[in-house]
């Protein structure tokens, strides 16, 4: 997926210490990939004739479009050719090349910050031009922050109000209890609500996902939905040997509607696959109206009524 208004299709270098940081690096990598960009990590680089330090500083970082640094309490090792850690050298190189730099400060552990790392963090936090600095306490937060930083997505007050109302209205519909869902992660979906298969006679998990039609066009939404649903069906075990899938009600919510989405767009690509049922609803906040894709089953009508109440 390529984020609207982002550096979509770009290469993003991910910098951090290696030891005990695989979960943070993976979280950032997933967020970058979901936005249709290419994450570049030192551990994935193809072997070449040059020393890793020289290749990364002189070839890899110059060839990237953005730089993402994840910094915690440890400074890291220093090599024979430099008194600085790889993370500090990588940061300095990106700054020297005037790359867009996004810094994320790790607050997930209670370890004391090493003295040299304190100095490095002070340098990062004191440099104000072109750096977005955020603190995170979970990998989920890190994913959301990376996605927001790279996509420059901003939710309008009207859209935020709709999301809050939807959570309240849909929490309990006809005895079905929906809960907010964090995984699988999709940075373009601003809200995911889940009703597990144990509550449904059809043995299908039921998801309601919300995406901004002001931030993403039709193609981007379709790509994101395909990727996310593949992850969902893998997670719940759907497939040829298990007759269990997922039902997705995707709400495309627009206020300005810059991509001119219409009801006709909802009629395309209704079916994702044999184990997946998919329906779309287009919600126009400025007109307080909604359009449904044809053929929505009657048992979903209470959800439709809940959406209408959110527009009142």
């Amino acid at each position: 997926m390529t984020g609207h208004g982002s550096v979509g299709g770009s290469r993003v270098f991910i910098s951090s210490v290696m030891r005990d940081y695989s979960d943070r690096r993976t979280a950032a990598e997933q967020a970058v990939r979901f936005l249709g960009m290419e994450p570049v990590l030192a551990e994935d680089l193809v072997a070449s004739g040059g020393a890793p330090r020289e290749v990364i500083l002189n070839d890899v970082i110059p060839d990237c479009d953005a730089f993402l640094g994840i910094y915690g309490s440890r400074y890291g090792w220093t090599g024979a050719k430099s008194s600085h850690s790889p993370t500090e050298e990588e940061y300095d190189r990106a700054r020297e090349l005037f790359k867009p730099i996004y810094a994320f400060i790790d607050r997930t552990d209670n370890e004391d910050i090493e003295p040299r790392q304190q100095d490095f963090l002070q340098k990062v936090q004191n440099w104000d031009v072109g750096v977005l600095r955020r603190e995170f306490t979970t990998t989920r937060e890190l994913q959301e922050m990376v996605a927001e930083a790279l996509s420059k997505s901003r939710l309008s007050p009207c859209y935020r109000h709709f999301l809050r109302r939807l959570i309240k209205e849909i929490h309990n519909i006809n005895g079905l209890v929906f809960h907010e869902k964090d995984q699988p992660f999709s940075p373009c979906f601003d809200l995911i609500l889940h009703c597990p298969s144990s509550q449904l006679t059809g043995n299908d998990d039921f998801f309601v996902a919300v995406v901004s039609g002001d931030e993403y066009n039709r193609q981007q939404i379709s790509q994101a939905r395909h990727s996310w649903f593949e992850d969902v069906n893998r997670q719940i075990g759907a497939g040829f040997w298990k007759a269990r899938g997922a039902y997705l009600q995707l709400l495309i919510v627009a206020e300005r509607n810059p991509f001119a989405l219409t009801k006709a767009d909802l009629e395309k690509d209704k079916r994702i696959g044999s184990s997946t049922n998919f329906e779309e609803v287009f919600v126009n906040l400025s007109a307080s109206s909604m359009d449904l894709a044809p053929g929505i089953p009657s048992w979903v009508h209470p959800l439709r009524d809940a959406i209408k109440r959110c527009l009142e």
Side-chain angles (χ1 to χ4, degrees):
M1 164 181 89
T2 304
H4 171 58
S6 71
V7 283
S10 301
R11 305 179 78 239
V12 181
F13 186 84
I14 298 175
S15 173
S16 76
V17 295
M18 293 286 196
R19 182 166 60 89
D20 298 328
Y21 254 58
S22 61
D23 58 340
R24 283 84 150 179
R25 295 174 69 81
T26 298
E29 178 186 7
Q30 289 176 342
V32 172
R33 287 195 188 280
F34 268 111
L35 292 173
M37 306 176 196
E38 179 186 352
V40 180
L41 299 95
E43 59 266 37
D44 294 336
L45 298 178
V46 177
S48 66
R53 175 179 180 270
E54 304 302 322
V55 171
I56 290 174
L57 296 181
N58 297 327
D59 298 327
V60 176
I61 293 179
D63 192 48
C64 287
D65 302 286
F67 181 95
L68 193 157
I70 307 170
Y71 307 123
S73 58
R74 287 186 286 110
Y75 182 68
W77 57 274
T78 57
K81 292 187 176 181
S82 173
S83 60
H84 299 303
S85 69
T87 52
E88 184 166 7
E89 283 196 297
E90 290 163 358
Y91 172 85
D92 289 342
R93 181 59 170 155
R95 180 179 173 179
E96 175 185 325
L97 295 170
F98 301 101
K99 300 290 182 180
I101 298 176
Y102 304 90
F104 299 89
I105 311 303
D106 186 355
R107 302 302 187 198
T108 62
D109 59 49
N110 297 316
E111 296 179 9
D112 293 333
I113 301 177
E114 295 175 359
R116 293 208 62 181
Q117 183 70 350
Q118 288 180 337
D119 294 339
F120 174 51
L121 291 178
Q122 188 64 39
K123 176 167 71 172
V124 172
Q125 294 172 354
N126 281 347
W127 186 53
D128 295 324
V129 180
V131 175
L132 178 136
R133 300 179 303 277
R134 300 282 297 276
E135 296 184 358
F136 67 94
T137 57
T138 66
T139 54
R140 167 67 174 175
E141 279 188 335
L142 175 61
Q143 285 180 319
E144 293 177 333
M145 291 175 182
V146 170
E148 181 183 37
L150 293 177
S151 68
K152 300 179 176 64
S153 173
R154 297 293 185 269
L155 307 184
S156 72
C158 185
Y159 185 34
R160 290 182 186 276
H161 176 71
F162 176 84
L163 293 177
R164 288 194 297 268
R165 283 290 306 273
L166 185 64
I167 292 172
K168 180 179 178 180
E169 294 289 347
I170 206 177
H171 178 67
N172 192 322
I173 297 180
N174 284 9
L176 301 178
V177 179
F178 287 79
H179 298 284
E180 289 190 60
K181 181 78 172 175
D182 290 336
Q183 295 294 337
F185 174 72
S186 178
C188 80
F189 291 166
D190 298 308
L191 176 66
I192 299 173
L193 298 169
H194 175 226
C195 179
S197 60
S198 58
Q199 298 186 45
L200 300 167
T201 57
N203 201 31
D204 290 337
D205 287 67
F206 184 22
F207 293 87
V208 177
V210 186
V211 62
S212 171
D214 288 348
E215 295 291 334
Y216 303 100
N217 63 31
R218 172 74 268 179
Q219 181 181 7
Q220 293 164 351
I221 292 171
S222 296
Q223 291 173 346
R225 177 253 296 163
H226 272 286
S227 298
W228 184 76
F229 243 62
E230 287 176 2
D231 289 341
V232 166
N233 280 329
R234 279 195 295 267
Q235 188 178 85
I236 66 177
F240 182 79
W241 294 108
K242 189 170 185 180
R244 178 189 174 196
Y247 183 92
L248 172 64
Q249 185 85 45
L250 179 61
L251 275 58
I252 303 173
V253 182
E255 185 177 5
R256 296 177 288 105
N257 199 15
F259 302 110
L261 296 171
T262 66
K263 182 179 180 178
D265 293 317
L266 305 182
E267 299 174 0
K268 301 173 182 176
D269 197 18
K270 263 192 62 187
R271 301 288 294 184
I272 301 177
S274 58
S275 64
T276 300
N277 295 302
F278 166 70
E279 305 289 350
E280 283 186 344
V281 177
F282 176 59
V283 179
N284 189 325
L285 295 179
S286 61
S288 297
S289 65
M290 59 185 289
D291 290 312
L292 286 72
I296 287 185
S298 59
W299 67 273
V300 184
H301 289 178
L303 173 60
R304 176 200 60 191
D305 296 337
I307 298 171
K308 286 183 177 179
R309 290 193 294 273
C310 295
L311 296 174
E312 295 175 350

